[in-house]
Amino acid sequence: MSPVSRGRKRKQSKARQSGGRGGRRQVTGHGFDPASYLGDLAPVLPRAEVEDTLERRFFAMPYHGTTIGGEDFPKLDPADSDERGLLIKGEHPEYHEALADPSFEGEIDGVNPRLHLALHELIANQLWDGDPPEAWQAARRLRDGGMHRHDVLHELMAVATEHLHPALVRAAPFDVDAYRRALNALGRGRPTARAEPSHPTYQIKVTLADSDPPIWRRLSLPGDIPLDTLHWVIQAAFGWENDHLHEFEANGRRYADHGYRAVPGTEDERRATLAAAAPRKGDRLRYTYDFGDNWVHDIAVESVEPAEDDPRVVCLAAENAGPPEDCGGIPGYYNLLEAITNPRHPEHDNYLDWLGEEPLDPTAVDRDAINRALESIKV
């Protein structure tokens, strides 16, 4: 289907859509197999327990494929303990080079890579098996308080280290009851991640990948903005219409909309912030919108400054118009521009008809209009 005919179909269907924050589509496929998370438990568990088991095991092992040292493992079974270990190793690309060297005995950023992976695997196994149950209860409290999954695992690993260390070093008996009490206390009586003071003000530059001349927006916004809200900021800044799925990617982790149905392999974008995904100046993340047209946005953190008293999102600068929806991605967009400026182009009339009465100026960008749209987004 050509971009023009796809666009006509979109325009016809939009009359039947409610607009706004709607238009979410059911996600299927992506290699997700509930049987790999339930095994023989599926026929015997009550429905509520099935849902809790899926949630618990998916939190422990949200990925089905990984790359380690340049070698791809596209489809692994999280129920298999050996393959689970590979998936955990794949979550830590910063350790791969050291792990490939049998003689490496040092630390990376103050952490022993092999010990860290062993502890991660210990916690993942406890969450997978639901034993002790206090591990999942603690993880859920921390997660529901706004803590990033990776940080939740670190909290659980810290408790495990505290109680395992005497048993390993001094051969002292492992006090299971004390360990369970410590897990039960985790996350209680402490501020949640959302209740902490606001993160500093971020300045980011969002550039549409492969655009030439570059299509970009420079934005000022609070660092504690959740990624689901950042999604709406980018939609407003580029004039997108939220007709398609999207996801963020940062440091090997993927985040998507879990409000309707979770995309397997992703974490909930509502529970991660810009500051958590890209904590420092110079950090980068990627936002992809519409997996058909594949609009990839490179996001670079240009500065991190003290928090403002009145947190808000502002477009500081912008260049070039955002492309129209459903025009075929960057290649289709440039073909469209060539067609409308060349009367001899075979699709000249079709594209003009598709665009309608409103002219398309690829260099035009109305920053005031962008900021008016951003004002409606609550941060």
Side-chain angles (χ1 to χ4, degrees):
M1 187 181 294
S2 73
V4 171
S5 56
R6 287 195 305 146
R8 284 175 175 158
K9 183 177 180 181
R10 177 181 68 87
K11 287 192 172 185
Q12 292 166 359
S13 66
K14 281 188 72 62
R16 299 190 294 269
Q17 295 176 2
S18 61
R21 294 177 71 115
R24 289 171 175 153
R25 302 175 182 182
Q26 183 171 339
V27 182
T28 58
H30 296 276
F32 176 66
D33 180 9
S36 66
Y37 283 83
L38 293 174
D40 296 335
L41 296 175
V44 299
L45 285 178
R47 179 178 178 83
E49 291 187 37
V50 167
E51 293 176 354
D52 183 71
T53 300
L54 282 172
E55 183 184 7
R56 167 168 51 81
R57 291 185 168 181
F58 190 75
F59 180 85
M61 301 302 306
Y63 306 108
H64 300 78
T66 191
T67 300
I68 300 173
E71 182 178 1
D72 288 330
F73 299 87
K75 191 173 183 181
L76 296 171
D77 182 1
D80 183 285
S81 59
D82 291 334
E83 296 189 9
R84 197 150 67 224
L86 284 174
L87 288 167
I88 291 169
K89 184 177 180 180
E91 281 197 63
H92 297 82
E94 68 274 20
Y95 298 155
H96 290 177
E97 185 176 350
L99 294 171
D101 181 2
S103 64
F104 183 86
E105 298 180 355
E107 296 182 342
I108 297 177
D109 294 331
V111 176
N112 181 308
R114 291 182 174 84
L115 176 60
H116 185 87
L117 290 185
L119 286 167
H120 187 155
E121 191 164 352
L122 168 71
I123 296 302
N125 291 341
Q126 290 182 353
L127 292 172
W128 186 270
D129 296 333
D131 183 22
E134 289 82 2
W136 172 230
Q137 293 164 8
R140 192 160 48 187
R141 278 195 303 275
L142 295 170
R143 180 203 65 185
D144 292 348
M147 186 175 288
H148 187 281
R149 169 181 171 270
H150 198 67
D151 295 329
V152 171
L153 295 176
H154 282 187
E155 292 275 352
L156 296 174
M157 289 159 62
V159 174
T161 301
E162 179 184 351
H163 287 263
L164 283 172
H165 189 266
L168 296 174
V169 175
R170 300 195 300 270
F174 177 58
D175 191 338
V176 177
D177 291 336
Y179 176 54
R180 294 175 69 167
R181 285 195 299 271
L183 289 171
N184 192 47
L186 196 60
R188 299 183 188 273
R190 58 187 289 178
T192 65
R194 291 289 177 89
E196 293 173 356
S198 177
H199 286 282
T201 299
Y202 271 53
Q203 179 175 297
I204 61 174
K205 184 177 182 181
V206 187
T207 305
L208 198 55
D210 299 323
S211 57
D212 184 18
I215 301 169
W216 59 266
R217 309 288 184 258
R218 177 169 287 118
L219 304 166
S220 173
L221 67 174
D224 61 355
I225 189 171
L227 294 185
D228 66 324
T229 307
L230 181 57
H231 155 69
W232 290 104
V233 168
I234 297 173
Q235 290 281 307
F238 283 83
W240 300 126
E241 300 174 19
N242 192 41
D243 280 346
H244 304 281
L245 297 171
H246 68 274
E247 74 173 24
F248 290 90
E249 184 176 353
N251 298 317
R253 292 182 173 80
R254 295 164 54 218
Y255 308 86
D257 179 4
H258 284 211
Y260 176 63
R261 179 171 177 175
V263 178
T266 64
E267 299 178 47
D268 190 343
E269 65 183 9
R270 296 171 298 180
R271 303 188 185 281
T273 64
L274 172 60
R280 293 171 294 274
K281 176 182 177 180
D283 285 347
R284 310 181 80 90
L285 61 157
R286 183 165 62 183
Y287 168 80
T288 302
Y289 171 63
D290 184 354
F291 300 133
D293 280 3
N294 198 42
W295 301 108
V296 177
H297 305 67
D298 292 320
I299 305 173
V301 178
E302 295 186 322
S303 69
V304 180
E305 303 294 340
E308 295 182 354
D309 293 334
D310 179 23
R312 58 198 182 108
V313 183
V314 179
C315 180
L316 303 173
E319 284 194 6
N320 296 307
E325 295 262 7
D326 296 313
C327 67
I330 284 292
Y333 177 51
Y334 288 125
N335 181 61
L336 180 154
L337 294 179
E338 180 183 355
I340 63 175
T341 56
N342 180 6
R344 295 185 178 181
H345 194 285
E347 293 188 279
H348 176 77
D349 293 336
N350 287 336
Y351 271 117
L352 289 178
D353 178 61
W354 180 68
L355 289 171
E357 297 180 0
E358 188 173 342
L360 174 61
D361 180 354
T363 65
V365 56
D366 187 341
R367 190 159 62 88
D368 290 337
I370 292 174
N371 279 318
R372 286 194 296 271
L374 292 175
E375 287 177 359
S376 66
I377 299 174
K378 184 178 179 180
V379 296

